Amino acid sequence: CHWCHVMERESFESEAVAEVLNRLFIPVKVDREERPDVDRIYMAYVQASTGSGGWPMSVWLTPDLKPFHGGTYFPPDNRYGRPGFVTILEYISRAWNNERAKVEESSAEVMRQLESIMSTKAPGARLDEQVLHSCFNAMRRSFDSRLGGFGGAPKFPRPAQLYFLHRYYKRTRSEEALEMSLLTLREMAKGGMYDQLGGGFHRYSVDARWFVPHFEKMLYDQGQLVVSYLEAFQLTGDEEFARVARETLDYVLRDMVDPVGAFHSAEDADSVLDPADPHEKGEGAFYIWTQHELEEILGKPHSDWFCHRFGVEVDGNVAEDPHHEFTGRNILYQAHTIAATARQFGVTEADVASALAVASRKLMDRRADRVRPHLDDKVLTAWNGLMISAFAKAAQVLGDAKYLDAAQKAAGFVLARMYSVETGRLLRRYRDGDAAIDGFQDDYALFVQALLDLYEASFDASLLQTADRLTRTMIELFEDREIGGFFSTTDGDASLVLRMKDDYDGAEPAGNSVAALNLLRLARITGDQVFHAAAERTLKALAGRLQAQPVAAPFLAAAYQYSLAPPIQIVIAGESGAQELLAEVRKRFLPDAVVLKAGEWLPSLRAMQPIDGKAAAYVCENFTCRLPVTTVAELAALLE
């Protein structure tokens, strides 16, 4: 992120700061994406002790790893109303040396509070459908009905909210719920949050209108938002949502795929402003333009059309420049529609659309000559799970074989290099030939979700078998056997001062939320009560959290809603005509259904056969099956 790089340049690369830091402390640098378990503990401490959190994050620990001071960005010296980093280092050193007992007692008290929160027994809350309405109503209160999104600036995409809203609409037919999601998706795609040339979403917007982003691109955002746009396309048939999904997927295929087929983690916010001075970096430099550049590359009148469409101004379009690199430059956003642009210049919409497509290709070619932002080329199992799910769903909804191929290659890599068939365990991270770090609970949950989604795209029964085994391993390694739910880490790690449960659906869905839905899906697919019982224990353990703060766990609320819905199985038997039947299923938003292929692995499906040599669809709801059908029209009637 931008401020991580700022603090790195200002403090951690400073010889003067390094001298103080190394003389007074033992510094340890943690990649929080490799070690979310470490980050989660100390982030909880910083939030509890300061009232807020974020990155960069610095925490000071006792020799037994207990935190006693922490914060986020510190300038190198006293400025912005914040104490400088060297000032903080020297102050903490004096406090540790002169008042150690007081420091240790303060740390111990905060740790006792955190331990109390983490070890709270299940409050015995009983869930009912009202919790879904409470979650929706909480979102309504914070929804920006003009610009989409929730709350004010800065605005973060939080796809778990959209995931819930789509399912709440399907259950209640609340048009308001659907429109909240659709407006958010439309406005995000219009703004500078979205890369208007290359596709893909930046991390968040510093303003309320999705205009000025923090320019890093995270894999987990791309994966989840693609699913949101695909679902919006299923719900509305609006090709604009499909376009954004395709462009985002194509960005990932172009810029985020490792040669081994898995997906890289992120691209930096900062990049080189001037190739002649590679040390001078600025946020978003790779993505922003001067009007003069555009005129030089595109020529008149097409540069005028492009500038009108994408809000380009001669002096730059960022009114209050938060960074000097934006001065005189423009962030591209959809200021006017193609139709409005055509009217402005007295030409046809077709002419404008054609010219803009050519212009975008020219600008992408020119942008390719710039110094790209740094690529974080780690392969993380959990984040790859989110992206595999997106490609698998795109293969179904958009019918494009290249997306299925991408999902299969990435899943195949994880299974070949980051999964042990002998132990049934996953690893967390791969980079440059090295796979390491035992997987955390969210790695299991998000990768199992990917396997289930990929099964519904490919009907490879081995994916279900692996999902079954990994879920059993997850239960064995992470489940809280006393009250249910899942810890983020295995037991017995002496380097961790707390064993925590993840129950907040933030930028990524919580491992517990995804696990609950996986368990329910597996129970419906396999009929195995082991999975259903574990899902019930998870929902019961987290019922208090869901009742008290449903908006904090919208993905979990969606999982609970799934548990309330009558089980629906759609089984396809046979080959001749199967793709046509599947296309009819896949164009619909059916969040409560599991789609299966008749075969040998699941005994309950063996009796389902083609009819007179034609593929047949068996639709079963609430444990009752309809007569099989062989035509698209008949299947459509059953699915209405």
Side-chain angles (χ1 to χ4, degrees):
C1 72
H2 173 70
W3 286 105
C4 298
H5 287 300
V6 170
M7 191 167 176
E8 184 176 48
R9 288 195 296 269
E10 290 177 340
S11 293
F12 299 126
E13 294 178 359
S14 161
E15 292 289 343
V17 174
E19 190 282 324
V20 178
L21 180 60
N22 291 326
R23 174 165 46 86
L24 300 178
F25 300 94
I26 300 173
V28 180
K29 187 175 183 179
V30 177
D31 182 329
R32 58 87 48 192
E33 293 158 9
E34 285 195 346
R35 293 299 303 267
D37 54 335
V38 173
D39 175 77
R40 193 172 286 124
I41 291 168
Y42 298 120
M43 181 62 75
Y45 166 78
V46 170
Q47 289 171 328
S49 58
T50 70
S52 63
W55 301 278
M57 180 173 69
S58 297
V59 187
W60 285 261
L61 314 179
T62 65
D64 59 356
L65 306 181
K66 291 185 171 60
F68 64 89
H69 190 79
T72 53
Y73 169 75
F74 295 103
D77 46 39
N78 299 341
R79 64 175 82 158
Y80 315 129
R82 293 170 177 258
F85 194 54
V86 171
T87 301
I88 288 286
L89 293 174
E90 292 173 339
Y91 168 79
I92 290 172
S93 178
R94 287 195 300 272
W96 178 251
N97 289 319
N98 299 331
E99 302 179 82
R100 184 172 304 185
K102 185 185 294 186
V103 169
E104 289 179 327
E105 176 51 36
S106 173
S107 171
E109 176 56 31
V110 174
M111 289 302 298
R112 282 193 291 270
Q113 293 175 14
L114 289 176
E115 288 166 358
S116 174
I117 294 169
M118 292 303 111
S119 65
T120 298
K121 300 292 186 287
R126 292 179 62 85
L127 292 175
D128 57 35
E129 191 167 355
Q130 183 57 44
V131 77
L132 306 177
H133 306 315
S134 297
C135 187
F136 170 62
N137 287 326
M139 289 187 195
R140 289 177 72 198
R141 289 192 290 272
S142 65
F143 180 64
D144 183 339
S145 59
R146 187 171 66 89
L147 298 168
F150 301 87
K155 274 187 178 168
F156 289 79
R158 195 171 157 216
Q161 292 176 304
L162 310 179
Y163 191 89
F164 169 79
L165 287 171
H166 292 164
R167 283 149 184 80
Y168 186 79
Y169 163 74
K170 187 70 174 179
R171 182 177 181 86
T172 66
R173 292 297 166 183
S174 166
E175 294 290 341
E176 184 181 6
L178 180 59
E179 189 51 39
M180 285 163 63
S181 173
L182 299 182
L183 179 65
T184 299
L185 291 169
R186 289 189 184 106
E187 293 299 317
M188 280 199 303
K190 285 164 56 178
M193 262 278 300
Y194 184 66
D195 180 352
Q196 301 293 337
L197 288 180
F201 287 87
H202 299 296
R203 176 74 276 267
Y204 68 95
S205 171
V206 302
D207 53 55
R209 63 189 183 105
W210 309 105
F211 173 45
V212 179
H214 267 300
F215 283 90
E216 62 265 38
K217 285 181 173 178
M218 310 301 298
L219 185 68
Y220 58 74
D221 283 326
Q222 317 311 320
Q224 292 177 91
L225 287 170
V226 163
V227 171
S228 297
Y229 280 90
L230 290 171
E231 291 181 351
F233 175 57
Q234 287 179 308
L235 285 162
T236 65
D238 186 341
E239 277 290 339
E240 187 67 9
F241 295 120
R243 177 189 68 82
V244 176
R246 284 192 189 93
E247 289 179 357
T248 303
L249 291 164
D250 292 347
Y251 152 68
V252 172
L253 288 176
R254 184 182 68 243
D255 294 333
M256 297 284 280
V257 176
D258 193 273
V260 298
F263 304 111
H264 293 148
S265 293
E267 288 191 296
D268 272 13
D270 292 12
S271 49
V272 172
L273 283 165
D274 180 359
D277 183 7
H279 298 292
E280 178 64 18
K281 291 185 176 183
E283 185 173 7
F286 184 73
Y287 300 99
I288 54 182
W289 303 85
T290 66
Q291 183 172 308
H292 176 71
E293 285 178 293
L294 298 173
E295 290 172 349
E296 174 202 342
I297 297 164
L298 303 180
K300 300 280 189 175
H302 293 170
S303 63
D304 292 337
W305 301 0
F306 186 91
C307 290
H308 187 77
R309 162 73 165 151
F310 291 107
V312 174
E313 299 175 13
V314 65
D315 296 322
N317 62 10
V318 184
E320 295 182 9
D321 186 356
H323 307 295
H324 72 88
E325 55 265 33
F326 293 157
T327 302
R329 294 180 171 90
N330 295 270
I331 298 170
L332 302 183
Y333 73 105
Q334 294 180 26
H336 300 95
T337 65
I338 289 176
T341 304
R343 288 194 299 271
Q344 174 72 16
F345 294 97
V347 295
T348 68
E349 290 183 36
D351 285 343
V352 171
S354 175
L356 291 178
V358 172
S360 293
R361 288 194 293 272
K362 287 182 178 179
L363 294 175
M364 280 291 287
D365 289 342
R366 178 63 66 90
R367 201 170 82 170
D369 294 333
R370 295 176 173 178
V371 179
R372 289 195 64 84
H374 173 73
L375 175 69
D376 183 346
D377 60 359
K378 292 192 306 292
V379 172
L380 297 172
T381 297
W383 294 8
N384 268 253
L386 288 168
M387 203 68 238
I388 292 165
S389 286
F391 276 103
K393 293 199 173 194
Q396 297 173 62
V397 175
L398 303 178
D400 193 325
K402 74 178 179 183
Y403 297 145
L404 178 59
D405 182 62
Q408 289 173 320
K409 283 181 178 176
F413 173 80
V414 173
L415 291 172
R417 298 298 302 271
M418 304 174 75
Y419 168 66
S420 168
V421 176
E422 290 75 24
T423 65
R425 295 192 178 197
L426 286 169
L427 293 175
R428 169 73 174 177
R429 183 267 294 148
Y430 169 91
R431 183 178 183 276
D432 196 23
D434 177 52
I437 306 173
D438 289 339
F440 302 107
Q441 188 267 335
D442 66 326
D443 292 303
Y444 285 81
L446 290 169
F447 189 62
V448 166
Q449 176 178 258
L451 294 177
L452 296 178
D453 292 335
L454 185 52
Y455 167 78
E456 292 196 354
S458 67
F459 298 119
D460 178 352
S462 70
L463 298 170
L464 286 184
Q465 292 171 307
T466 305
D468 181 299
R469 188 178 184 201
L470 281 171
T471 302
R472 295 177 193 275
T473 302
M474 181 187 72
I475 293 171
E476 175 190 342
L477 293 177
F478 301 101
E479 188 176 25
D480 183 338
R481 291 173 176 79
E482 185 179 353
I483 63 173
F486 296 91
F487 294 106
S488 299
T489 56
T490 55
D491 198 9
D493 187 341
S495 70
L496 301 177
V497 293
L498 275 178
R499 195 178 183 205
M500 301 182 71
K501 287 181 181 176
D502 185 14
D503 62 359
Y504 176 66
D505 298 323
E508 305 163 60
N512 269 288
S513 302
V514 178
L517 185 55
N518 289 345
L519 289 162
L520 291 164
R521 290 174 73 185
L522 278 166
R524 291 187 182 179
I525 291 169
T526 67
D528 193 325
Q529 286 303 302
V530 166
F531 299 131
H532 190 267
E536 286 197 326
R537 291 194 297 271
T538 303
L539 290 171
K540 183 179 179 181
L542 299 175
R545 167 71 152 169
L546 197 52
Q547 280 198 335
Q549 293 180 296
V551 76
F555 198 103
L556 183 65
Y560 173 64
Q561 180 170 299
Y562 184 91
S563 76
L564 298 179
I568 300 173
Q569 291 181 315
I570 301 170
V571 183
I572 306 297
E575 300 299 329
S576 178
Q579 289 306 313
E580 290 77 7
L581 295 174
L582 281 169
E584 183 63 28
V585 173
R586 289 168 171 172
K587 74 180 185 182
R588 300 165 183 271
F589 181 60
L590 301 169
D592 299 325
V594 294
V595 183
L596 305 166
K597 190 76 180 290
E600 292 298 309
W601 187 65
L602 293 171
S604 61
L605 305 185
R606 289 175 188 164
M608 296 181 178
Q609 298 293 328
I611 306 295
D612 297 330
K614 296 179 181 177
Y618 294 76
V619 179
C620 308
E621 183 171 357
N622 219 10
F623 311 105
T624 302
C625 292
R626 313 281 186 88
L627 288 173
V629 297
T630 58
T631 70
V632 169
E634 291 172 314
L635 179 55
L638 288 182
L639 297 176
E640 288 299 333

